[in-house]
Amino acid sequence: MKRRGNKMSGLKFRRKHIVHTFECDVKKEMTLPALINIMVETSGLQSRHLGNTNEQMSERGLSWIIIQYDMQITQMPKSRETITIETEAISYNRFFTYRKFRAFDEADNILVEVLTTFAMMDIKTRKLTQIQEELVAPYQAEKIRTMIRAPKIQAVNLETASELPFRVRYLDIDGNNHVNNAKYFDWMINSIDLEILKNYTVGSVNIKYEKEVNFGNIINSFVSVEEVEKDKVMTVHHIENDHAIACRANITWVKRN
Amino acid sequence: MKRRGNKMSGLKFRRKHIVHTFECDVKKEMTLPALINIMVETSGLQSRHLGNTNEQMSERGLSWIIIQYDMQITQMPKSRETITIETEAISYNRFFTYRKFRAFDEADNILVEVLTTFAMMDIKTRKLTQIQEELVAPYQAEKIRTMIRAPKIQAVNLETASELPFRVRYLDIDGNNHVNNAKYFDWMINSIDLEILKNYTVGSVNIKYEKEVNFGNIINSFVSVEEVEKDKVMTVHHIENDHAIACRANITWVKRN
C-alpha cells in the first residue's frame, strides 16, 4: 500500500498500556523514565510488526540511537490508568529520523506528545552514519531536506547549581550493551530538590544526548533552578562524565493544586 | 461461589505479558526487579478484579507488605517473549498470607515459581497486625494453623564480603511512600562482581525483608560469594541501614552455556 502526496506523516502504530503502580512516583503519576521506556518500546514493536527492521539494522552493524526528546505533557498518566501509546515515523533527512510519540487517555484526550530525533550509529565505531533509506522505507515517512530544530537548551547556572554523583550500575546497561536513554532521567530527577518533586508536576522536557556513558563511570548530575512565572519553575540539567557533557536538559514544572 | 475441601489453594488470576527490552539485562534476560514488579502488580490486579480489596485495606489504615520470597527459576524470561504470569492465594494463618506466583512460556512450561509471604501492616505505626479475615476472604485461600517456613538464609561471610553504599533516591519511593521491595534487588545485583553477572544466570532466590528503609538513607550492600558445586555459585547478601540489617538474601547462579 503506497502512500501519496507530501503529508508530514508516516505509518502509525498504537498499543494500550495499563500504567503499573511500580511505574509511578509518590504522587501516583507515571515517572518520566517509565514513560520514555514504554514509548520507545512501542516503536520497537512497530519495527517488529513491519518485519523486524531492527534485526536488519544489527545485521548491518547499525543501531538506532536517540539524540533528542522534545516533550509536551498536558497530564502525566496516573497509576492503573489505561492509556494508548501511539508512535508515528514523521520524516527523515540525511542524518536524522523524526518520530512522534503520543499518549492518550481512555476518552482519547492527548496526555503527552513527544518529538524524538533518532540517528543511525555504527555499532563498532560508535559513530553516526548516514540514514540508509531501505531501512527506513517500511515506515513510509517523508524524506525532507531540512532539519527539524528542537528548542534551544538553556545552560546550567553553575553559580547556583548543585551536583550529585551517580555510579553507572550493571542494571543500567541494556541488551545493546549501552546505557538505556531513560536512565539519564533517573540521574536528573533524583538530583532535584524534594520540595519541587513533591509539589510540582512535569510540564515539558527538552533533552539532548551528546555522548555515551559506560558501565562503571561515575557521572555527575548538575542541576540549577529558575523561576519561569508564578507557580512554574524550570530545572536546568547537565550530566558530566569525565569532564565532558554527556547530556543536557531543561524540564519545566507546574505547581500542583 | 464457595469452595469446599481442604486443598491448599485459592483463586488464581492470570495475565499475559510481553517482556519489554527495557526489563532485560545485557544477557537479554528479564532482570529480577522487573520480574518481581510484574508479579506483584499481577496480585494487585487480582485484588482489583475481586473488588478493590486493596482500597478497603487503606480505608482501614492497613497495607500489605512483603516479608519473604522463595524463588525457583528454571529459565529467566527473555526479551520480547510472551509469558503468562499466574498468581494464587494459597493459605493464611494469624499473621501471614502465602501466595504463589508462576511464570509460564507460550508452551505452558513453567519458567519461574515463587512462594511469597505477605503480612498486614498498620500504616501509621508501621507495625504488623493480625490478618483481618474479611479482607482475605475474597481470595478463597485456606486458613492454616501452621507457618510455612522458607529455607534458612545463610549469613554473609564478613571476612570475604565486599560492601557498596547506595543512596535511597526519590524514584525508589512508590505511591505508598515506601521503598518498593524490588529495589532491594537493584542494590544487591549491582554489588555482585561483573564476571558472575555476565557468565551466570539466576537459579534461585531466597530473600527476607526485615526493616523498612526510607528516602535519603544511605544503605550498605554486603555480598560474599560461595562455590556451591561445579558451575554453580551462591551470592550471599545483606543490606545494612544505620547498623541494622534491613534485608538478607541468598541467590544461586548457574553458569551459562
Side-chain angles (χ1 to χ4, degrees):
Chain A
M1 190 173 61
K2 279 266 180 192
R3 293 171 65 259
R4 288 182 213 181
N6 217 9
K7 225 170 99 267
M8 273 274 270
S9 62
L11 287 185
K12 288 182 182 175
F13 184 83
R14 279 181 160 226
R15 67 185 294 228
K16 290 209 181 232
H17 177 68
I18 301 175
V19 178
H20 298 123
T21 56
F22 62 81
E23 293 176 309
C24 295
D25 60 15
V26 288
K27 295 172 285 194
K28 303 195 183 195
E29 288 178 351
M30 201 169 189
T31 67
L32 277 173
L35 179 66
I36 290 293
N37 272 334
I38 201 72
M39 287 182 158
V40 175
E41 187 74 8
T42 303
S43 64
L45 291 172
Q46 182 186 36
S47 293
R48 185 166 76 169
H49 180 73
L50 293 175
N52 266 319
T53 57
N54 284 353
E55 275 182 20
Q56 292 164 34
M57 294 269 293
S58 37
E59 282 163 15
R60 297 187 189 199
L62 299 173
S63 174
W64 286 116
I65 61 165
I66 286 160
I67 303 287
Q68 190 148 8
Y69 291 115
D70 181 11
M71 308 177 69
Q72 303 301 321
I73 294 130
T74 310
Q75 171 68 59
M76 269 307 223
K78 291 191 174 66
S79 183
R80 293 274 166 83
E81 184 175 0
T82 299
I83 58 175
T84 297
I85 306 284
E86 179 181 276
T87 184
E88 179 181 9
I90 301 282
S91 60
Y92 68 98
N93 54 34
R94 266 180 79 195
F95 286 102
F96 302 107
T97 72
Y98 302 101
R99 175 179 284 277
K100 282 218 168 164
F101 294 101
R102 298 180 191 91
F104 299 93
D105 68 13
E106 286 196 274
D108 225 30
N109 298 308
I110 194 156
L111 302 174
V112 180
E113 186 164 43
V114 184
L115 176 66
T116 313
T117 308
F118 284 82
M120 280 185 183
M121 184 183 70
D122 184 301
I123 295 170
K124 271 201 190 132
T125 65
R126 313 305 279 180
K127 293 222 164 95
L128 300 192
T129 66
Q130 290 196 24
I131 298 298
Q132 299 194 6
E133 300 214 14
E134 60 278 30
L135 292 173
V136 297
Y139 304 98
Q140 301 182 22
E142 193 198 356
K143 185 167 186 184
I144 56 175
R145 290 175 176 276
T146 50
M147 305 247 294
I148 301 181
R149 301 221 178 255
K152 197 163 178 288
I153 297 178
Q154 199 169 315
V156 170
N157 180 345
L158 290 171
E159 304 260 312
T160 61
S162 65
E163 179 188 348
L164 204 58
F166 292 86
R167 188 175 52 237
V168 182
R169 304 170 176 178
Y170 172 74
L171 289 177
D172 297 337
I173 311 289
D174 64 17
N176 294 321
N177 226 331
H178 117 315
V179 178
N180 178 329
N181 65 86
K183 288 289 166 187
Y184 294 73
F185 283 98
D186 275 310
W187 301 325
M188 295 190 299
I189 302 287
N190 285 318
S191 306
I192 299 171
D193 193 273
L194 192 60
E195 289 313 301
I196 294 176
L197 294 169
K198 280 191 166 169
N199 298 314
Y200 290 74
T201 186
V202 182
S204 68
V205 177
N206 188 6
I207 182 170
K208 187 150 191 254
Y209 299 92
E210 314 251 1
K211 264 176 185 280
E212 285 190 289
V213 299
N214 294 305
F215 173 76
N217 290 164
I218 307 283
I219 62 90
N220 274 301
S221 175
F222 288 79
V223 55
S224 62
V225 183
E226 298 203 5
E227 201 85 31
V228 177
E229 57 193 60
K230 189 177 175 312
D231 297 336
K232 196 171 175 183
V233 298
M234 180 164 78
T235 53
V236 181
H237 303 264
H238 77 237
I239 304 290
E240 214 174 88
N241 184 27
D242 198 18
H243 305 292
I245 289 183
C247 171
R248 294 179 302 127
N250 292 166
I251 306 179
T252 62
W253 301 83
V254 184
K255 194 149 193 177
R256 300 169 76 204
N257 299 326
Chain B
M1 190 173 61
K2 279 265 179 194
R3 291 172 67 260
R4 288 180 214 182
N6 216 10
K7 222 170 102 273
M8 275 273 270
S9 61
L11 287 185
K12 287 182 182 176
F13 184 84
R14 278 180 161 228
R15 67 186 295 230
K16 291 210 180 230
H17 177 68
I18 300 174
V19 178
H20 298 122
T21 56
F22 62 81
E23 292 175 309
C24 295
D25 60 15
V26 287
K27 294 172 286 194
K28 303 194 184 195
E29 288 178 352
M30 203 170 188
T31 67
L32 277 173
L35 179 65
I36 290 292
N37 272 333
I38 201 73
M39 287 183 159
V40 175
E41 188 73 9
T42 303
S43 65
L45 290 173
Q46 182 185 37
S47 294
R48 184 168 78 169
H49 180 74
L50 294 174
N52 265 318
T53 58
N54 284 353
E55 275 183 22
Q56 292 163 36
M57 294 272 291
S58 36
E59 282 163 15
R60 297 186 189 200
L62 299 172
S63 174
W64 285 115
I65 61 164
I66 286 160
I67 302 289
Q68 191 148 8
Y69 292 114
D70 180 11
M71 308 177 69
Q72 303 301 321
I73 294 131
T74 309
Q75 171 68 58
M76 269 305 224
K78 291 192 172 67
S79 182
R80 293 275 165 84
E81 183 175 2
T82 300
I83 58 175
T84 297
I85 307 284
E86 178 181 273
T87 184
E88 177 180 11
I90 301 284
S91 59
Y92 68 98
N93 54 34
R94 266 181 78 196
F95 286 102
F96 302 107
T97 72
Y98 302 101
R99 176 179 284 277
K100 282 219 168 162
F101 294 101
R102 297 180 190 91
F104 299 93
D105 69 11
E106 285 195 275
D108 225 30
N109 299 308
I110 194 157
L111 302 174
V112 180
E113 185 164 44
V114 184
L115 176 65
T116 313
T117 307
F118 284 84
M120 280 186 185
M121 183 183 70
D122 184 302
I123 296 169
K124 270 201 191 129
T125 65
R126 313 305 283 180
K127 292 221 164 96
L128 299 192
T129 66
Q130 289 195 26
I131 298 298
Q132 299 193 8
E133 300 214 13
E134 60 278 29
L135 292 173
V136 298
Y139 303 99
Q140 302 182 22
E142 192 198 356
K143 186 169 185 180
I144 55 175
R145 289 172 178 278
T146 50
M147 306 246 295
I148 301 181
R149 301 219 179 256
K152 198 163 176 288
I153 296 177
Q154 198 168 317
V156 170
N157 181 345
L158 291 172
E159 306 258 314
T160 61
S162 64
E163 178 189 349
L164 204 56
F166 292 87
R167 187 176 54 238
V168 182
R169 304 170 176 177
Y170 172 75
L171 289 177
D172 297 337
I173 312 290
D174 64 16
N176 294 322
N177 226 330
H178 116 316
V179 178
N180 178 330
N181 65 86
K183 287 288 165 187
Y184 294 73
F185 283 97
D186 275 310
W187 300 326
M188 294 189 301
I189 302 288
N190 285 317
S191 305
I192 298 172
D193 193 273
L194 192 61
E195 288 314 301
I196 294 176
L197 293 169
K198 280 192 166 168
N199 298 315
Y200 290 74
T201 185
V202 182
S204 67
V205 178
N206 188 7
I207 182 169
K208 187 150 190 253
Y209 299 92
E210 315 252 1
K211 266 175 184 278
E212 285 190 290
V213 299
N214 294 304
F215 173 76
N217 290 165
I218 307 284
I219 62 91
N220 273 302
S221 176
F222 289 80
V223 56
S224 63
V225 184
E226 296 202 7
E227 201 85 29
V228 177
E229 58 192 60
K230 188 175 176 313
D231 296 337
K232 196 171 175 184
V233 297
M234 179 164 76
T235 53
V236 181
H237 303 264
H238 77 237
I239 304 290
E240 215 174 85
N241 184 27
D242 198 18
H243 305 293
I245 289 183
C247 171
R248 293 180 302 128
N250 292 167
I251 306 178
T252 63
W253 300 85
V254 184
K255 193 148 193 179
R256 301 169 75 204
N257 299 327

